[in-house]
Amino acid sequence: MKIILTHEVEKLGKPGDVVEVKDGYGRNYLIPRGYATKWTKGAQRQIDQMNEARRRRVTEDIESARESREALEAGPITIAKTAGSNGRLFGAVTTADVAEAASEITGKKIDRRQVNLTGSLKSVGEYVGSIKLADEINAAIKIEVVAAE
């Protein structure tokens, strides 16, 4: 089945890419979740327009991503969560929490799917992770989880 990706799908491609996938994967997973649409001649024209717009934005995005990377790597991202007396959190720090805190630092929207955490953050302490800001630009971040008062 030939499809057009509308979102980035890991190990498959970027938005606007035309890829060939098995029928079931496209019909039952990618298309219902909005990650892709069926390929048609009219849709191919839209892809060409999207690719042209993407080429124009790439240079602006790379400069912006470099500035964001410097801001994120400058210091730890501090996240306050409620915790017990032993330092265990009531819940966990999620990628959405990290994305929200990183968005406040950079001033730009960061999606939770761009955040990659090593392990689960279920207690107070320091952790490491990364945020994919652009194709080749990843920010190595330090996350400091503190008990909220």
Side-chain angles (χ1 to χ4, degrees):
M1 165 182 259
K2 206 172 188 182
I3 59 167
I4 303 164
L5 296 176
T6 56
H7 290 80
E8 184 169 345
V9 179
E10 194 171 324
K11 298 180 182 174
L12 197 57
K14 300 176 200 153
D17 289 351
V18 177
V19 294
E20 188 80 27
V21 296
K22 294 196 176 195
D23 291 346
Y25 183 52
R27 193 173 44 247
N28 298 326
Y29 181 76
L30 295 172
I31 293 173
R33 285 182 169 78
Y35 293 146
T37 59
K38 271 190 140 177
W39 182 89
T40 61
K41 287 182 183 179
Q44 182 65 46
R45 278 187 241 117
Q46 282 184 317
I47 293 169
D48 296 338
Q49 291 172 351
M50 286 170 53
N51 287 337
E52 181 61 33
R54 186 188 315 158
R55 273 188 231 112
R56 280 184 260 140
R57 281 194 318 262
V58 164
T59 54
E60 297 170 11
D61 289 346
I62 289 175
E63 290 301 318
S64 173
R66 286 189 180 132
E67 292 171 7
S68 296
R69 179 178 61 187
E70 290 172 6
L72 289 169
E73 290 179 346
I77 297 173
T78 305
I79 298 175
K81 287 282 199 176
T82 54
S85 60
N86 60 353
R88 255 342 244 150
L89 298 179
F90 296 126
V93 176
T94 63
T95 56
D97 296 331
V98 175
E100 183 180 329
S103 294
E104 291 174 9
I105 291 172
T106 61
K108 297 177 180 92
K109 184 171 181 344
I110 294 177
D111 190 49
R112 66 176 177 76
R113 292 174 285 207
Q114 294 173 277
V115 178
N116 185 17
L117 300 175
T118 54
S120 59
L121 286 60
K122 293 187 177 186
S123 62
V124 174
E126 292 188 6
Y127 300 91
V128 293
S130 66
I131 299 177
K132 183 177 182 178
L133 299 168
D135 284 340
E136 307 92 22
I137 300 176
N138 289 323
I141 58 171
K142 293 179 183 167
I143 303 159
E144 185 178 344
V145 179
V146 296
E149 297 182 21

